[in-house]
C-alpha cells in the first residue's frame, strides 16, 4: 500500500482460520466492502450465523484502494438513489457502525468540454435534483474558483454537487467488519472457495481449502472474481476484470488547496487531495481485460499527456507512489444485485463497474432485505443478472469514470 495511505490496524475479524465452521445460515463469498457491509446489516438485523470467506486479508481486492469517491451524481435514477442513501450512511458512520472513515465532503466536479456533454449533464442534474441531490451546473469561472488547478480553455461548463466527496475504503471495511464480529459474524480470511454444492434448486454447501460449510444461503460479493464463483453454482454473472491505475504525488509545498474530486469527463482523468499531496487517476481506454494489477510507469505518461491541457501544473508534479486495482465491469456498467432465478438461495451483489464502494451501504441494506424476504427501499429488479439474457431493458450508466 502507498505510504500515503496507512493500513487500518489489525482486528479480530482478520484472523486466519485453520478450519471453517462446518455449518452456517449464510456464507458470504468475498471480504471486501460489499461483503463487510452485507455482514454488518445482516448482523444488525439479528442474522449472526454468518461466515464471510475471503481468500486473502479483508479489503485486499478492489476495495483496498487508498481513497474511494462517494457520490450521488449519476445519470440513472436507481444509481442516484443508491449513491444518495449511501452518502447519508457514510455521514453517519461515526455513530453507525461507529468508525472514523476520514470522509471529506469536498464535492464532485465534472468538467465538460462539449455541448453534448453539457446537455446530457443538465438532464442528469434535473433528475438528481428531483431526487433531493443538490447538484448544479456551473460556469467555467466558478469551476476554476473551486479547483484552481484547472484551465478554463475549451471548458464549456461543469457539474458540481457539494455533498459528494471521498473516504477511505479500508477504514469502511474495517468498521463494518469489527461491528459484525462483535455481533458474532465469523470472518474466515486466507480461505479460498474451491466449489459449491447444489441439490435441485438449492445451494447446499460451500467448499473451501479449510473445510466444507453446509449452509442455507450463499451471497456472492467476490468482485472481479464473481464470474468464477457464479460458475461454480451454475449461475451466470457477466463480470469482467479491468485494471485501473492511480498515482500519488510527492508532498506539495505550499500545500495543495482543498479541492473537489475533479474529473475531466472527456478523458476520465481525475484528481483530488490525498494527505499532503494529490491523487491522480485515469481509465486507459486501451486496457485489456485481465487480473493483472501491476502498476506501470507508462500509464503515468498517458495521464500526464491527457492532463497537460486541462490542469497543466499536474503534468509536472513529482510522483511518490502508484497503485493498480481491478474494476469489475458489466456490459452496461451497472451492478448485478439480486437472487438467482434458478437457485433462490444464491444471492449476489457484484459488477459495480467502479461504483461498489460508494454504493456499499445501500446495497448492504438491500441484500439484507432480500435475505429476510422484505421489500428493499428501492426496486432493484432492473439490476438482475438475468437482464442480459432475457431481453430486459438495459439502462447504461453514462457517468462512468
Amino acid at each position: 500500500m502507498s505510504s500515503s495511505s496507512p493500513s487500518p490496524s489489525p482486528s479480530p475479524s482478520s484472523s486466519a482460520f485453520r478450519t471453517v465452521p462446518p455449518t452456517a445460515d449464510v456464507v458470504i463469498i468475498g471480504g471486501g466492502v460489499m461483503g463487510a457491509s452485507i455482514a454488518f446489516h445482516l448482523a444488525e438485523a439479528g442474522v449472526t450465523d454468518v461466515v464471510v470467506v475471503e481468500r486473502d486479508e479483508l479489503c485486499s481486492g478492489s476495495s483496498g484502494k487508498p481513497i474511494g469517491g462517494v457520490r450521488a451524481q449519476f445519470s440513472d435514477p436507481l444509481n442516484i438513489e443508491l449513491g444518495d442513501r449511501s452518502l447519508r450512511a457514510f455521514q453517519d458512520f461515526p455513530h453507525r457502525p461507529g468508525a472514523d472513515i476520514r470522509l471529506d465532503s469536498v464535492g464532485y466536479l465534472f468538467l465538460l468540454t462539449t455541448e453534448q456533454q453539457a446537455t446530457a449533464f443538465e438532464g442528469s442534474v434535473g433528475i438528481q435534483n428531483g431526487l433531493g441531490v443538490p447538484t448544479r451546473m456551473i460556469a467555467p469561472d466558478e469551476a476554476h474558483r473551486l479547483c484552481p488547478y484547472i484551465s478554463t480553455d475549451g471548458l464549456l461548463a461543469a457539474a458540481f454537487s457539494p455533498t459528494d466527496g471521498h473516504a477511505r475504503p479500508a477504514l469502511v471495511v474495517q468498521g463494518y467488519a469489527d461491528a459484525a464480529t462483535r455481533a458474532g459474524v465469523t470472518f474466515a480470511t486466507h480461505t479460498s472457495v474451491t466449489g459449491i454444492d447444489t441439490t435441485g434448486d438449492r445451494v447446499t454447501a460451500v467448499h473451501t481449502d479449510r473445510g466444507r460449510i453446509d449452509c442455507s444461503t450463499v451471497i456472492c460479493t467476490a468482485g472481479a472474481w464473481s464470474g468464477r464463483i457464479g460458475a461454480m453454482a451454475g449461475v451466470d454473472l457477466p463480470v469482467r476484470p479491468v485494471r485501473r491505475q492511480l498515482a500519488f504525488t510527492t508532498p506539495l509545498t505550499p500545500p495543495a488547496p482543498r479541492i473537489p474530486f475533479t474529473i475531466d469527463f472527456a478523458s476520465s482523468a481525475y484528481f483530488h487531495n490525498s494527505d499532503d499531496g494529490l491523487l491522480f487517476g485515469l481509465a486507459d481506454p486501451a486496457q485489456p481485460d485481465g487480473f493483472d494489477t501491476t502498476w506501470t510507469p507508462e500509464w503515468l505518461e498517458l495521464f500526464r499527456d491527457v492532463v497537460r491541457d486541462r490542469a497543466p501544473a499536474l503534468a509536472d508534479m513529482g510522483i511518490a507512489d502508484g497503485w493498480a486495482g481491478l474494476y469489475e465491469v458489466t456490459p452496461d456498467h451497472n451492478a448485478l444485485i439480486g437472487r438467482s432465478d434458478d437457485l433462490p438461495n444464491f444471492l449476489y451483489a457484484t459488477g459495480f463497474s467502479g461504483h461498489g464502494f460508494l454504493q456499499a451501504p445501500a446495497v448492504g441494506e438491500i441484500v439484507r432485505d432480500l435475505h429476510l424476504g422484505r421489500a428493499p427501499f428501492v426496486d432493484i429488479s432492473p439490476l438482475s443478472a438475468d437482464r442480459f439474457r432475457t431481453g430486459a431493458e438495459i439502462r447504461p450508466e453514462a457517468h462512468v469514470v
Side-chain angles (χ1 to χ4, degrees):
M1 179 174 282
S2 164
S3 59
S4 301
S5 179
S7 300
S9 57
S11 81
S13 63
S14 60
S15 58
F17 279 69
R18 289 205 176 100
T19 61
V20 292
T23 63
D25 181 9
V26 178
V27 174
I28 299 173
I29 301 174
V33 70
M34 210 56 66
S37 173
I38 293 168
F40 165 75
H41 284 91
L42 286 172
E44 189 182 51
V47 182
T48 57
D49 185 15
V50 177
V51 178
V52 180
V53 179
E54 166 54 48
R55 67 177 187 171
D56 202 329
E57 286 290 342
L58 296 183
C59 200
S60 60
S62 299
S63 298
K65 301 311 121 201
I67 293 180
V70 293
R71 62 178 165 118
Q73 278 198 75
F74 288 95
S75 64
D76 185 275
L78 183 47
N79 282 328
I80 295 168
E81 291 187 83
L82 293 175
D84 187 48
R85 189 155 180 120
S86 294
L87 277 176
R88 298 172 196 274
F90 285 129
Q91 291 160 1
D92 194 44
F93 219 90
H95 308 288
R96 173 183 174 264
D100 176 14
I101 58 172
R102 297 182 66 180
L103 175 66
D104 197 358
S105 299
V106 291
Y108 255 65
L109 179 66
F110 281 94
L111 306 177
L112 310 173
T113 51
T114 69
E115 292 288 356
Q116 183 180 12
Q117 290 172 10
T119 300
F121 269 77
E122 283 174 6
S124 296
V125 166
I127 298 171
Q128 292 159 22
N129 293 167
L131 293 169
V133 177
T135 320
R136 65 181 190 270
M137 297 295 292
I138 62 175
D141 58 346
E142 185 177 353
H144 183 263
R145 285 197 297 272
L146 288 167
C147 183
Y149 289 112
I150 68 172
S151 165
T152 58
D153 291 347
L155 189 63
L156 295 187
F160 177 67
S161 181
T163 52
D164 296 341
H166 47 76
R168 302 293 171 120
L171 298 179
V172 172
V173 173
Q174 207 66 59
Y176 275 144
D178 287 346
T181 300
R182 290 193 295 270
V185 170
T186 297
F187 285 80
T189 55
H190 299 282
T191 304
S192 296
V193 172
T194 57
I196 295 174
D197 287 349
T198 60
T199 302
D201 67 348
R202 309 290 292 177
V203 174
T204 55
V206 173
H207 292 266
T208 78
D209 59 356
R210 296 178 185 272
R212 166 186 168 131
I213 311 171
D214 292 318
C215 57
S216 303
T217 299
V218 169
I219 303 173
C220 177
T221 60
W225 295 267
S226 293
R228 297 177 179 181
I229 297 299
M232 292 179 184
V235 176
D236 182 27
L237 297 176
V239 176
R240 58 187 179 88
V242 181
R243 178 171 59 175
R244 288 288 185 266
Q245 302 193 59
L246 52 83
F248 298 94
T249 69
T250 52
L252 298 178
T253 306
R258 186 168 179 260
I259 60 173
F261 194 126
T262 302
I263 302 164
D264 177 44
F265 188 66
S267 68
S268 86
Y270 65 85
F271 56 95
H272 53 74
N273 299 102
S274 175
D275 295 331
D276 50 7
L278 296 177
L279 180 150
F280 302 155
L282 174 75
D284 179 356
Q287 179 67 52
D289 295 357
F291 290 95
D292 179 20
T293 54
T294 307
W295 188 81
T296 60
E298 294 80 14
W299 169 88
L300 181 59
E301 293 310 310
L302 177 66
F303 173 86
R304 284 175 165 153
D305 287 345
V306 164
V307 83
R308 211 171 294 279
D309 291 332
R310 184 54 51 223
L314 274 60
D316 299 317
M317 288 182 179
I319 299 301
D321 203 353
W323 194 290
L326 296 176
Y327 268 23
E328 38 177 301
V329 180
T330 64
D332 64 358
H333 294 276
N334 279 311
L336 310 177
I337 307 172
R339 179 190 303 278
S340 168
D341 285 344
D342 299 326
L343 297 170
N345 65 336
F346 183 97
L347 281 63
Y348 50 84
T350 184
F352 287 88
S353 304
H355 310 139
F357 172 63
L358 68 90
Q359 294 183 347
V363 175
E365 289 184 49
I366 288 167
V367 176
R368 171 203 65 199
D369 291 342
L370 291 177
H371 175 68
L372 294 174
R374 308 193 307 212
F377 73 89
V378 68
D379 176 18
I380 47 86
S381 59
L383 299 179
S384 166
D386 297 327
R387 67 185 183 265
F388 301 108
R389 62 180 178 85
T390 61
E393 179 189 4
I394 303 297
R395 310 190 308 186
E397 174 54 51
H399 295 192
V400 177
V401 181

